[in-house]
Amino acid sequence: MLSTLRIRHIGVIDDAMLDFGPGFTALTGETGAGKTMIVTGLTMLLGERLDRGRTRGSSTVDGTLSLVGHTELAAALDELGAEEEDGEVLVVRRVTRDGRSRAQIGGVPVPIGTLARLVGTAVTVHGQSDQQRLRDPEAQRDALDRFAHTEVGPLLARHREIWRERSVLSERLAELDELLSERDRRGAALRQALERLEQSDPIEGEDEDLRSEIERLANAEELRGAAGQAALALVGDDDGPAAAPLLALAAESLGRAARTDTTLEPLVERLDAVRIELSDVAAEISRYADSIDGSPSRIEEANERLHELTLLVRDLGAMLPGPDGPAEDITALLATSRTAAIALDRYEGAEEERAGTLGRLEALEAELSETAAALTAARLTAASALSAAVQEELRHLEMPDADIRVEVAAQSHRSHGCDAVAILLAPHPGADHLPVGQAASGGELSRVMLALEVALSSSRNDRSAAPVFVFDEIDAGIGGRAALAVGQRLARLARHAQVIVVTHLPQVAAHAGTHLQIVKSSTDGTTSSTVEHLDKPARIRELARMLAGDDASDLALAHAEELLDEARAVAIADDAPQAARR
């Protein structure tokens, strides 16, 4: 439900606050008073643009929307982080003269598309050229499905679930076919490459280690000689001085002095540590010299292994490419081989998975066809019931000779089934049934749209989440008894929804539970409008003005009061059967 609407600086409206009732609210006023601006403000909350000619500096619309019963909308706003207070959320739209637009829901800035999507789930605006429900095939099918939600809803949900699963499996089947095709192209080559790699059994960095070893072996004599000289310089022999004996001599001399002066003891300890370290270094140098194998057999063996690994990288690098291209060494080749092994594992399981996927798809196709057939049958039954319900409403709307038909025809299979829904109208006996947007005049189209809304709302099972319908001059092109009938059916629609109507006809306004008047005034050559909430005496005066153009005529006032009394009597009579059923 839309609780309040505040409009600032749109057209002739400077600042107006509208408090809507829960049922039927009528908006009336003289021509040019700004009634259209009210509808313009409402459409702004649905993301519509504002004509720059109606913008004065900065135009703003604030709407307070009740979330009671709108579970999905409330969940979406909660996910958005929107703030609510007492079950209501504030929706704000601001448009500047240079065309910039801002929107907020519950204090959270949102794109205009998000604003339209969220608010549009609760509010529907119908204008003289905006009966999309009667023109859009998708909307017509949706209307039929909502009319028979109890019967159609579970089938439609199941059909869409199967459709989604089938879509996912079809995509997976295409992926598996591509994988198996790739297996046929590359699988044997990958397997052969991995087998060759396994036979060679390289380890990471082995080629680099071999190059280092070959370089060392090629210079074995030189390296051994250098190591021997280094060891000799450290430990010496009987013919000459060396570091180790000299260091031992220094330690012994300093030790004797330390017995006299204890401050030298730390230096003695350091000399001992250096002597031990020097001894260890000399031992390692000796072992290094002994380890150098300069034999031709070892050099030949290392060269052969390096050649084998080089060929392996050259031959398999292109077959097992990595993200940066062919591998350039053994380490990179081993990394890409692991990826190839994973690919082979995928190939091995792809055929079995494909068989299972294909079997499931065949089962889904059968279930989908069965569900689509049941959905069509349910829609055909619902179409007959909706046709009868709308036909009955048209009889009440002074269109007894019009014949409405809700047609369900076959079309290509889609997520919603195999059905195309069209609402057809023969406006008088002998006329062909045509799409209602083509067959009906402006006044007839408005009444057909109203009949459809009443029928749909009457069929709703959940009354807690009442939608909001805004009708902009639905009574255009009609009068007399038809106008009375429209007022009565709007009042009936308002039992299950909030109805906001901009009207010129007193016969329509008289049936409203809440009556708002747009009042125009001029000061210093400037025209502006405000909105007034009318009590019963004020309503009688406004209805008299609408009837006769004069709110002071006793005859017009009497007629206006009579209209109100008759509307009240009709409402009481309509409520009596419902009260009895309760």
Side-chain angles (χ1 to χ4, degrees):
M1 185 182 108
L2 191 62
S3 303
T4 64
L5 182 73
R6 185 181 183 186
I7 298 176
R8 285 172 284 180
H9 308 307
I10 297 182
V12 296
I13 297 179
D14 283 328
D15 191 342
M17 174 65 82
L18 293 83
D19 291 303
F20 299 112
F24 181 1
T25 297
L27 297 171
T28 65
E30 296 181 358
T31 301
K35 297 186 297 297
T36 302
M37 297 304 100
I38 303 298
V39 177
T40 298
L42 284 163
T43 59
M44 283 177 64
L45 294 184
L46 293 169
E48 295 294 329
R49 294 182 177 180
L50 178 62
D51 188 340
R52 290 188 180 182
R54 294 175 175 175
T55 307
R56 288 186 284 138
S58 176
S59 301
T60 306
V61 180
D62 304 343
T64 305
L65 188 64
S66 172
L67 300 178
V68 176
H70 291 285
T71 306
E72 293 183 5
L73 175 58
L77 294 180
D78 182 63
E79 184 176 347
L80 192 66
E83 296 179 359
E84 63 172 86
E85 185 174 348
D86 297 329
E88 294 185 333
V89 66
L90 180 65
V91 183
V92 180
R93 175 84 183 280
R94 182 173 179 269
V95 178
T96 59
R97 192 172 182 82
D98 60 7
R100 289 180 297 174
S101 179
R102 299 289 185 271
Q104 290 186 349
I105 301 180
V108 178
V110 295
I112 302 303
T114 301
L115 175 79
R117 177 174 57 83
L118 293 176
V119 179
T121 62
V123 181
T124 301
V125 176
H126 291 290
Q128 285 177 273
S129 59
D130 190 36
Q131 290 94 359
Q132 290 302 317
R133 193 182 308 279
L134 301 183
R135 302 181 189 275
D136 181 14
E138 296 292 319
Q140 293 180 31
R141 188 195 64 252
D142 180 64
L144 177 62
D145 290 347
R146 288 189 298 107
F147 176 76
H149 177 73
T150 302
E151 296 78 16
V152 171
L155 291 171
L156 181 58
R158 179 56 184 155
H159 187 278
R160 284 179 169 155
E161 180 183 347
I162 299 171
W163 183 274
R164 283 192 296 270
E165 184 180 355
R166 189 188 71 163
S167 298
V168 170
L169 289 178
S170 296
E171 292 178 4
R172 181 55 182 162
L173 187 64
E175 292 173 358
L176 290 169
D177 285 340
E178 177 62 26
L179 193 63
L180 291 171
S181 176
E182 182 181 342
R183 181 197 66 177
D184 295 339
R185 294 193 309 269
R186 299 187 61 225
L190 286 179
R191 192 173 291 104
Q192 183 179 2
L194 291 175
E195 288 174 356
R196 182 176 169 186
L197 195 63
E198 184 178 358
Q199 289 172 359
S200 184
D201 194 24
I203 61 176
E204 291 187 3
E206 183 180 357
D207 47 354
E208 292 300 320
D209 291 343
L210 284 169
R211 289 187 181 93
S212 297
E213 183 183 1
I214 290 169
E215 180 71 16
R216 186 170 65 253
L217 293 173
N219 297 278
E221 290 301 324
E222 181 181 348
L223 292 172
R224 189 183 295 110
Q229 288 179 357
L232 187 62
L234 291 176
V235 297
D237 56 16
D238 297 336
D239 298 329
L246 291 174
L247 190 59
L249 180 61
E252 183 181 352
S253 298
L254 197 62
R256 287 195 300 271
R259 288 194 288 272
T260 303
D261 185 356
T262 57
T263 60
L264 293 174
E265 288 180 355
L267 294 175
V268 174
E269 292 175 359
R270 290 173 65 184
L271 278 173
D272 284 340
V274 170
R275 185 169 55 81
I276 294 171
E277 179 65 20
L278 186 145
S279 178
D280 288 344
V281 169
E284 286 192 24
I285 291 175
S286 297
R287 284 195 295 272
Y288 169 78
D290 294 340
S291 70
I292 295 176
D293 182 4
S295 63
S297 61
R298 176 53 195 159
I299 295 177
E300 183 180 354
E301 180 183 335
N303 276 311
E304 287 179 357
R305 178 60 173 171
L306 180 60
H307 180 67
E308 178 186 355
L309 297 181
T310 302
L311 291 179
L312 203 64
V313 171
R314 185 197 68 184
D315 296 344
L316 303 188
M319 297 176 62
L320 306 173
D324 299 323
E328 296 182 352
D329 54 37
I330 281 295
T331 300
L333 185 63
L334 288 172
T336 57
S337 71
R338 287 190 284 270
T339 303
I342 293 173
L344 279 177
D345 288 341
R346 290 171 60 220
Y347 296 155
E348 294 300 325
E351 192 159 356
E352 182 178 353
E353 184 183 351
R354 185 187 186 281
T357 301
L358 187 60
R360 177 58 182 159
L361 266 176
E362 291 173 352
L364 282 178
E365 289 289 355
E367 189 176 356
L368 194 65
S369 298
E370 182 181 340
T371 306
L375 195 53
T376 298
R379 283 178 174 145
L380 285 170
T381 301
S384 177
L386 180 58
S387 298
V390 175
Q391 189 74 48
E392 176 64 16
E393 292 301 324
L394 289 178
R395 185 179 66 79
H396 289 292
L397 289 169
E398 301 299 321
M399 292 179 65
D401 296 328
D403 186 49
I404 199 84
R405 180 186 299 167
V406 181
E407 184 178 82
V408 179
Q411 68 169 22
S412 59
H413 207 157
R414 302 178 187 178
S415 63
H416 54 72
C418 302
D419 308 316
V421 177
I423 299 176
L424 308 177
L425 175 71
H428 52 78
D432 293 333
H433 284 81
L434 297 174
V436 69
Q438 302 174 19
S441 65
E444 290 171 335
L445 191 60
S446 296
R447 280 182 279 172
V448 171
M449 180 267 295
L450 177 58
L452 179 62
E453 294 291 15
V454 173
L456 291 175
S457 291
S458 299
S459 71
R460 292 177 61 245
N461 296 314
D462 178 13
R463 308 291 191 223
S464 61
V468 181
F469 293 114
V470 181
F471 297 97
D472 184 14
E473 299 189 10
I474 188 177
D475 48 27
I478 62 173
R481 291 178 57 188
L484 280 171
V486 167
Q488 292 171 4
R489 304 327 279 175
L490 285 168
R492 181 176 179 183
L493 176 61
R495 296 175 186 170
H496 311 304
Q498 184 185 29
V499 178
I500 301 169
V501 180
V502 176
T503 181
H504 288 287
L505 296 180
Q507 298 96 321
V508 172
H511 287 84
T514 301
H515 193 153
L516 303 178
Q517 182 184 11
I518 295 87
V519 180
K520 179 173 63 174
S521 60
S522 298
T523 305
D524 298 329
T526 302
T527 300
S528 61
S529 296
T530 58
V531 178
E532 295 182 0
H533 188 288
L534 304 183
D535 57 15
K536 184 173 182 180
R539 287 190 72 183
I540 292 173
R541 290 193 299 272
E542 172 63 1
L543 292 175
R545 181 198 65 76
M546 297 170 71
L547 283 164
D550 183 2
D551 62 1
S553 165
D554 290 339
L555 184 60
L557 289 169
H559 190 185
E561 188 171 8
E562 182 181 357
L563 267 181
L564 276 179
D565 291 341
E566 288 179 355
R568 175 63 177 165
V570 170
I572 293 173
D574 285 345
D575 285 340
Q578 288 194 2
R581 284 195 295 272
R582 290 196 294 267

